[in-house]
Amino acid sequence: AFISHDCRPNCMWHYEGDCFTLRARRNIPVGEEITVSYLAEESLLESIASRRSQLEATKHFLCNCSTCRVSLDPVRGFRCLGCQKGEIFFEFGETIKPCALGACRRCGFLATAAQANELVLQEAKVEELVQ
C-alpha cells in the first residue's frame, strides 16, 4: 500500500476539486509512520469487531493496528453509572467483562458483569435504531 491503514490515523486526505492533499490530524513525531484510515470517518467510532469486519470484507485484511490490538476498546466507552460524568470500558472477547483498567477515571466506579451486559444490550438496541 502507498500509505498504511490505522484506526487512529495521524493523517487524512482532503479533497478540493481535483486536488488531493494529505493533511496531518495531529503533530507527527519524526520517524513515526504516516497512516490514514481506509474506512469512512464515521466507521472509526465503531467497535473493533465492526471495523475489523469492514476491513476484512472490503480490503481483505485483518486490522492489527495498536487500537485494534487492545482488549479495552477505546471508542466504546459508556457513561459511568456511578458519577454520570466519566466513562467506563469493558473487555470484549468471548464474554463481556468489567476490568480494573476500564473503571471510571473520575470516581473509580467499576460495573458488575450484569451492568456491563445491560449496557451492551442497550447499545445494540441503539445501533438497530440508527441503521
Side-chain angles (χ1 to χ4, degrees), residues 43-79:
S43 294
L44 297 177
L45 299 175
E46 295 178 15
S47 68
I48 291 171
S50 176
R51 293 191 313 270
R52 280 184 159 177
S53 176
Q54 289 178 56
L55 287 166
E56 211 164 359
T58 62
K59 305 298 182 191
H60 311 290
F61 75 94
L62 178 66
C63 185
N64 200 26
C65 71
S66 60
T67 304
C68 288
R69 283 194 311 261
V70 297
S71 61
L72 294 180
D73 194 338
V75 300
R76 204 167 173 200
F78 295 87
R79 180 182 289 172

Side-chain angles (χ1 to χ4, degrees), residues 46-126:
E46 295 178 15
S47 68
I48 291 171
S50 176
R51 293 191 313 270
R52 280 184 159 177
S53 176
Q54 289 178 56
L55 287 166
E56 211 164 359
T58 62
K59 305 298 182 191
H60 311 290
F61 75 94
L62 178 66
C63 185
N64 200 26
C65 71
S66 60
T67 304
C68 288
R69 283 194 311 261
V70 297
S71 61
L72 294 180
D73 194 338
V75 300
R76 204 167 173 200
F78 295 87
R79 180 182 289 172
C80 176
L81 299 173
C83 68
Q84 297 291 311
K85 293 181 181 175
E87 292 178 304
I88 55 176
F89 297 88
F90 308 123
E91 282 189 20
F92 291 89
E94 302 265 332
T95 61
I96 301 153
K97 58 183 178 181
C99 66
L101 287 175
C104 178
R105 290 188 178 162
R106 285 180 167 249
C107 71
F109 178 83
L110 183 60
T112 66
Q115 290 168 322
N117 285 319
E118 180 59 31
L119 287 170
V120 171
L121 285 173
Q122 289 175 15
E123 177 189 46
K125 289 178 185 176
V126 170

